[in-house]
mmCIF file of all heavy atoms in Angstrom:
data_model
loop_
_atom_site.group_PDB
_atom_site.id
_atom_site.type_symbol
_atom_site.label_atom_id
_atom_site.label_comp_id
_atom_site.label_asym_id
_atom_site.label_seq_id
_atom_site.Cartn_x
_atom_site.Cartn_y
_atom_site.Cartn_z
ATOM 1 N N LEU A 175 -11.290 -2.078 -18.807
ATOM 2 C CA LEU A 175 -10.107 -2.763 -19.174
ATOM 3 C C LEU A 175 -9.579 -3.604 -18.098
ATOM 4 O O LEU A 175 -9.255 -3.002 -16.950
ATOM 5 C CB LEU A 175 -9.066 -1.785 -19.700
ATOM 6 C CG LEU A 175 -9.411 -0.921 -20.882
ATOM 7 C CD1 LEU A 175 -8.439 0.190 -21.093
ATOM 8 C CD2 LEU A 175 -9.721 -1.713 -22.092
ATOM 9 N N VAL A 176 -9.346 -4.966 -18.241
ATOM 10 C CA VAL A 176 -8.787 -5.768 -17.155
ATOM 11 C C VAL A 176 -7.255 -5.720 -17.426
ATOM 12 O O VAL A 176 -6.805 -6.173 -18.474
ATOM 13 C CB VAL A 176 -9.344 -7.113 -17.256
ATOM 14 C CG1 VAL A 176 -8.712 -8.017 -16.339
ATOM 15 C CG2 VAL A 176 -10.885 -7.124 -17.231
ATOM 16 N N ARG A 177 -6.534 -5.405 -16.307
ATOM 17 C CA ARG A 177 -5.148 -5.345 -16.460
ATOM 18 C C ARG A 177 -4.679 -6.688 -16.005
ATOM 19 O O ARG A 177 -5.326 -7.486 -15.317
ATOM 20 C CB ARG A 177 -4.564 -4.272 -15.553
ATOM 21 C CG ARG A 177 -5.024 -2.939 -15.689
ATOM 22 C CD ARG A 177 -4.596 -2.271 -17.157
ATOM 23 N NE ARG A 177 -3.149 -2.463 -17.250
ATOM 24 C CZ ARG A 177 -2.416 -1.433 -16.851
ATOM 25 N NH1 ARG A 177 -2.815 -0.501 -16.211
ATOM 26 N NH2 ARG A 177 -1.065 -1.669 -16.969
ATOM 27 N N LYS A 178 -3.290 -6.993 -16.155
ATOM 28 C CA LYS A 178 -2.764 -8.281 -15.919
ATOM 29 C C LYS A 178 -2.630 -8.588 -14.371
ATOM 30 O O LYS A 178 -2.488 -9.641 -14.085
ATOM 31 C CB LYS A 178 -1.483 -8.423 -16.565
ATOM 32 C CG LYS A 178 -1.524 -8.513 -18.066
ATOM 33 C CD LYS A 178 -0.193 -8.805 -18.833
ATOM 34 C CE LYS A 178 -0.294 -9.151 -20.239
ATOM 35 N NZ LYS A 178 0.811 -9.269 -20.871
ATOM 36 N N ARG A 179 -2.691 -7.430 -13.585
ATOM 37 C CA ARG A 179 -2.606 -7.630 -12.172
ATOM 38 C C ARG A 179 -4.019 -7.836 -11.490
ATOM 39 O O ARG A 179 -4.123 -7.421 -10.440
ATOM 40 C CB ARG A 179 -1.698 -6.489 -11.711
ATOM 41 C CG ARG A 179 -0.321 -6.367 -12.142
ATOM 42 C CD ARG A 179 0.428 -5.225 -11.507
ATOM 43 N NE ARG A 179 1.762 -5.145 -12.053
ATOM 44 C CZ ARG A 179 2.656 -4.279 -11.664
ATOM 45 N NH1 ARG A 179 2.466 -3.425 -10.765
ATOM 46 N NH2 ARG A 179 3.949 -4.241 -12.191
ATOM 47 N N GLN A 180 -4.870 -8.336 -12.413
ATOM 48 C CA GLN A 180 -6.192 -8.593 -11.814
ATOM 49 C C GLN A 180 -6.876 -7.339 -11.384
ATOM 50 O O GLN A 180 -7.839 -7.492 -10.440
ATOM 51 C CB GLN A 180 -6.175 -9.525 -10.753
ATOM 52 C CG GLN A 180 -5.957 -11.064 -11.178
ATOM 53 C CD GLN A 180 -4.511 -11.370 -11.567
ATOM 54 O OE1 GLN A 180 -3.520 -10.939 -10.802
ATOM 55 N NE2 GLN A 180 -4.163 -11.857 -12.792
ATOM 56 N N SER A 181 -6.699 -6.214 -11.803
ATOM 57 C CA SER A 181 -7.449 -4.940 -11.392
ATOM 58 C C SER A 181 -8.066 -4.516 -12.795
ATOM 59 O O SER A 181 -7.606 -4.776 -13.834
ATOM 60 C CB SER A 181 -6.448 -3.869 -10.976
ATOM 61 O OG SER A 181 -5.535 -3.505 -11.783
ATOM 62 N N THR A 182 -9.124 -3.814 -12.566
ATOM 63 C CA THR A 182 -9.898 -3.388 -13.691
ATOM 64 C C THR A 182 -9.987 -1.768 -13.743
ATOM 65 O O THR A 182 -10.271 -1.173 -12.643
ATOM 66 C CB THR A 182 -11.323 -3.883 -13.669
ATOM 67 O OG1 THR A 182 -11.314 -5.227 -13.633
ATOM 68 C CG2 THR A 182 -12.123 -3.288 -14.803
ATOM 69 N N ILE A 183 -9.626 -1.123 -14.818
ATOM 70 C CA ILE A 183 -9.854 0.312 -14.921
ATOM 71 C C ILE A 183 -10.798 0.640 -15.855
ATOM 72 O O ILE A 183 -10.881 0.245 -17.058
ATOM 73 C CB ILE A 183 -8.375 0.935 -15.462
ATOM 74 C CG1 ILE A 183 -7.316 0.642 -14.452
ATOM 75 C CG2 ILE A 183 -8.576 2.397 -15.719
ATOM 76 C CD1 ILE A 183 -5.802 1.117 -14.994
ATOM 77 N N ASP A 184 -12.000 1.213 -15.361
ATOM 78 C CA ASP A 184 -13.084 1.491 -16.082
ATOM 79 C C ASP A 184 -13.007 2.878 -16.680
ATOM 80 O O ASP A 184 -12.904 3.948 -16.038
ATOM 81 C CB ASP A 184 -14.281 1.525 -15.123
ATOM 82 C CG ASP A 184 -15.550 1.816 -15.680
ATOM 83 O OD1 ASP A 184 -15.641 1.794 -16.970
ATOM 84 O OD2 ASP A 184 -16.720 1.962 -14.931
ATOM 85 N N LEU A 185 -13.000 2.878 -18.046
ATOM 86 C CA LEU A 185 -12.831 4.172 -18.922
ATOM 87 C C LEU A 185 -14.098 4.802 -19.135
ATOM 88 O O LEU A 185 -14.173 5.854 -19.764
ATOM 89 C CB LEU A 185 -12.257 3.853 -20.223
ATOM 90 C CG LEU A 185 -10.747 3.335 -20.210
ATOM 91 C CD1 LEU A 185 -10.203 3.214 -21.519
ATOM 92 C CD2 LEU A 185 -10.014 4.227 -19.346
ATOM 93 N N THR A 186 -15.186 4.368 -18.587
ATOM 94 C CA THR A 186 -16.591 5.056 -18.692
ATOM 95 C C THR A 186 -16.487 6.395 -18.067
ATOM 96 O O THR A 186 -16.270 6.547 -16.905
ATOM 97 C CB THR A 186 -17.780 4.219 -18.013
ATOM 98 O OG1 THR A 186 -17.574 2.963 -18.537
ATOM 99 C CG2 THR A 186 -19.019 4.853 -18.398
ATOM 100 N N PRO A 187 -16.853 7.595 -18.922
ATOM 101 C CA PRO A 187 -16.865 8.861 -18.323
ATOM 102 C C PRO A 187 -18.006 9.082 -17.563
ATOM 103 O O PRO A 187 -19.066 8.335 -17.602
ATOM 104 C CB PRO A 187 -16.755 9.731 -19.644
ATOM 105 C CG PRO A 187 -17.410 8.864 -20.711
ATOM 106 C CD PRO A 187 -17.132 7.408 -20.410
ATOM 107 N N PRO A 188 -17.960 10.043 -16.571
ATOM 108 C CA PRO A 188 -16.825 10.973 -16.403
ATOM 109 C C PRO A 188 -15.837 10.418 -15.453
ATOM 110 O O PRO A 188 -16.184 9.509 -14.623
ATOM 111 C CB PRO A 188 -17.513 12.203 -15.721
ATOM 112 C CG PRO A 188 -18.646 11.582 -14.935
ATOM 113 C CD PRO A 188 -19.197 10.445 -15.790
ATOM 114 N N TRP A 189 -14.454 10.879 -15.583
ATOM 115 C CA TRP A 189 -13.540 10.412 -14.718
ATOM 116 C C TRP A 189 -13.363 11.273 -13.601
ATOM 117 O O TRP A 189 -13.580 12.536 -13.677
ATOM 118 C CB TRP A 189 -12.189 10.418 -15.545
ATOM 119 C CG TRP A 189 -12.216 9.412 -16.682
ATOM 120 C CD1 TRP A 189 -13.164 8.401 -17.034
ATOM 121 C CD2 TRP A 189 -11.264 9.295 -17.833
ATOM 122 N NE1 TRP A 189 -12.879 7.760 -18.064
ATOM 123 C CE2 TRP A 189 -11.608 8.295 -18.605
ATOM 124 C CE3 TRP A 189 -10.015 10.192 -18.215
ATOM 125 C CZ2 TRP A 189 -10.912 8.113 -19.862
ATOM 126 C CZ3 TRP A 189 -9.357 9.783 -19.267
ATOM 127 C CH2 TRP A 189 -9.899 8.645 -20.124
ATOM 128 N N PRO A 190 -12.860 10.816 -12.405
ATOM 129 C CA PRO A 190 -12.867 11.675 -11.171
ATOM 130 C C PRO A 190 -11.718 12.825 -11.503
ATOM 131 O O PRO A 190 -10.753 12.568 -12.133
ATOM 132 C CB PRO A 190 -12.400 10.725 -10.110
ATOM 133 C CG PRO A 190 -11.849 9.511 -10.775
ATOM 134 C CD PRO A 190 -12.666 9.441 -12.096
ATOM 135 N N ARG A 191 -11.897 13.822 -10.714
ATOM 136 C CA ARG A 191 -10.931 14.969 -10.777
ATOM 137 C C ARG A 191 -10.626 15.265 -9.356
ATOM 138 O O ARG A 191 -11.522 15.511 -8.492
ATOM 139 C CB ARG A 191 -11.453 16.108 -11.543
ATOM 140 C CG ARG A 191 -11.866 15.898 -12.961
ATOM 141 C CD ARG A 191 -12.341 17.028 -13.582
ATOM 142 N NE ARG A 191 -12.686 16.826 -15.050
ATOM 143 C CZ ARG A 191 -13.182 17.790 -15.928
ATOM 144 N NH1 ARG A 191 -13.205 19.030 -15.508
ATOM 145 N NH2 ARG A 191 -13.503 17.368 -17.168
ATOM 146 N N LEU A 192 -9.404 15.454 -9.020
ATOM 147 C CA LEU A 192 -8.884 15.833 -7.703
ATOM 148 C C LEU A 192 -7.942 16.906 -7.814
ATOM 149 O O LEU A 192 -7.070 16.843 -8.552
ATOM 150 C CB LEU A 192 -8.255 14.551 -7.002
ATOM 151 C CG LEU A 192 -8.937 13.421 -6.339
ATOM 152 C CD1 LEU A 192 -8.092 12.391 -5.770
ATOM 153 C CD2 LEU A 192 -9.829 14.006 -5.107
ATOM 154 N N THR A 193 -8.130 17.885 -6.789
ATOM 155 C CA THR A 193 -6.960 18.949 -6.767
ATOM 156 C C THR A 193 -5.737 18.312 -6.126
ATOM 157 O O THR A 193 -5.893 17.394 -5.352
ATOM 158 C CB THR A 193 -7.369 20.014 -6.049
ATOM 159 O OG1 THR A 193 -7.524 19.765 -4.703
ATOM 160 C CG2 THR A 193 -8.749 20.705 -6.604
ATOM 161 N N VAL A 194 -4.630 18.764 -6.404
ATOM 162 C CA VAL A 194 -3.367 18.234 -5.779
ATOM 163 C C VAL A 194 -3.511 18.415 -4.119
ATOM 164 O O VAL A 194 -3.165 17.578 -3.437
ATOM 165 C CB VAL A 194 -2.190 18.887 -6.352
ATOM 166 C CG1 VAL A 194 -0.867 18.535 -5.538
ATOM 167 C CG2 VAL A 194 -2.020 18.418 -7.821
ATOM 168 N N ASP A 195 -4.015 19.551 -3.903
ATOM 169 C CA ASP A 195 -4.250 19.691 -2.399
ATOM 170 C C ASP A 195 -5.236 18.664 -1.749
ATOM 171 O O ASP A 195 -4.771 18.126 -0.663
ATOM 172 C CB ASP A 195 -4.806 21.174 -2.184
ATOM 173 C CG ASP A 195 -4.812 21.522 -0.601
ATOM 174 O OD1 ASP A 195 -3.755 21.581 -0.193
ATOM 175 O OD2 ASP A 195 -5.989 21.671 -0.090
ATOM 176 N N GLU A 196 -6.329 18.359 -2.401
ATOM 177 C CA GLU A 196 -7.120 17.361 -1.937
ATOM 178 C C GLU A 196 -6.409 16.021 -1.845
ATOM 179 O O GLU A 196 -6.556 15.251 -0.866
ATOM 180 C CB GLU A 196 -8.374 17.193 -2.868
ATOM 181 C CG GLU A 196 -9.321 18.295 -2.632
ATOM 182 C CD GLU A 196 -10.399 18.161 -3.825
ATOM 183 O OE1 GLU A 196 -10.180 17.595 -4.985
ATOM 184 O OE2 GLU A 196 -11.479 18.854 -3.663
ATOM 185 N N ALA A 197 -5.606 15.648 -2.808
ATOM 186 C CA ALA A 197 -4.838 14.374 -2.850
ATOM 187 C C ALA A 197 -3.931 14.270 -1.653
ATOM 188 O O ALA A 197 -3.857 13.205 -0.894
ATOM 189 C CB ALA A 197 -4.167 14.206 -4.170
ATOM 190 N N PHE A 198 -3.154 15.453 -1.465
ATOM 191 C CA PHE A 198 -2.150 15.491 -0.501
ATOM 192 C C PHE A 198 -2.890 15.491 1.023
ATOM 193 O O PHE A 198 -2.269 14.790 1.903
ATOM 194 C CB PHE A 198 -1.215 16.628 -0.503
ATOM 195 C CG PHE A 198 -0.037 16.349 -1.393
ATOM 196 C CD1 PHE A 198 -0.206 16.186 -2.692
ATOM 197 C CD2 PHE A 198 1.327 16.206 -0.881
ATOM 198 C CE1 PHE A 198 0.916 15.967 -3.587
ATOM 199 C CE2 PHE A 198 2.378 15.889 -1.642
ATOM 200 C CZ PHE A 198 2.285 15.854 -2.962
ATOM 201 N N ARG A 199 -3.925 16.157 1.220
ATOM 202 C CA ARG A 199 -4.621 16.028 2.458
ATOM 203 C C ARG A 199 -5.135 14.649 2.763
ATOM 204 O O ARG A 199 -5.122 14.193 3.777
ATOM 205 C CB ARG A 199 -5.820 16.942 2.361
ATOM 206 C CG ARG A 199 -5.411 18.536 2.531
ATOM 207 C CD ARG A 199 -6.717 19.331 2.342
ATOM 208 N NE ARG A 199 -6.415 20.758 2.357
ATOM 209 C CZ ARG A 199 -6.428 21.558 3.481
ATOM 210 N NH1 ARG A 199 -6.791 21.007 4.626
ATOM 211 N NH2 ARG A 199 -6.147 22.785 3.381
ATOM 212 N N ARG A 200 -5.768 14.041 1.676
ATOM 213 C CA ARG A 200 -6.165 12.691 1.884
ATOM 214 C C ARG A 200 -5.249 11.543 2.152
ATOM 215 O O ARG A 200 -5.480 10.773 3.088
ATOM 216 C CB ARG A 200 -7.163 12.353 0.609
ATOM 217 C CG ARG A 200 -7.820 10.922 0.685
ATOM 218 C CD ARG A 200 -8.510 10.642 -0.524
ATOM 219 N NE ARG A 200 -9.513 11.596 -0.875
ATOM 220 C CZ ARG A 200 -10.330 11.484 -1.919
ATOM 221 N NH1 ARG A 200 -10.135 10.405 -2.807
ATOM 222 N NH2 ARG A 200 -11.226 12.419 -2.145
ATOM 223 N N TRP A 201 -4.153 11.633 1.486
ATOM 224 C CA TRP A 201 -3.193 10.372 1.511
ATOM 225 C C TRP A 201 -1.860 10.804 2.218
ATOM 226 O O TRP A 201 -1.176 9.811 2.535
ATOM 227 C CB TRP A 201 -3.057 9.919 0.174
ATOM 228 C CG TRP A 201 -4.247 9.393 -0.459
ATOM 229 C CD1 TRP A 201 -5.177 8.412 0.257
ATOM 230 C CD2 TRP A 201 -4.870 9.634 -1.655
ATOM 231 N NE1 TRP A 201 -6.190 8.068 -0.610
ATOM 232 C CE2 TRP A 201 -6.029 8.826 -1.884
ATOM 233 C CE3 TRP A 201 -4.417 10.277 -2.853
ATOM 234 C CZ2 TRP A 201 -6.739 8.753 -2.968
ATOM 235 C CZ3 TRP A 201 -5.243 10.293 -3.937
ATOM 236 C CH2 TRP A 201 -6.368 9.544 -4.091
#
């Protein structure tokens, strides 16, 4: 799907899964 802000979100599965802890550690 092409969004209006020129970014593309790909809905093809599988979608990534992140634990909240992984997300907070990373970012």
Side-chain angles (χ1 to χ4, degrees):
L175 300 176
V176 178
R177 304 298 303 281
K178 290 185 176 179
R179 297 183 181 181
Q180 286 75 49
S181 63
T182 299
I183 298 178
D184 181 8
L185 295 186
T186 306
W189 299 346
R191 301 178 179 186
L192 277 175
T193 68
V194 173
D195 187 66
E196 289 171 335
F198 271 74
R199 286 175 181 269
R200 180 183 301 183
W201 293 312

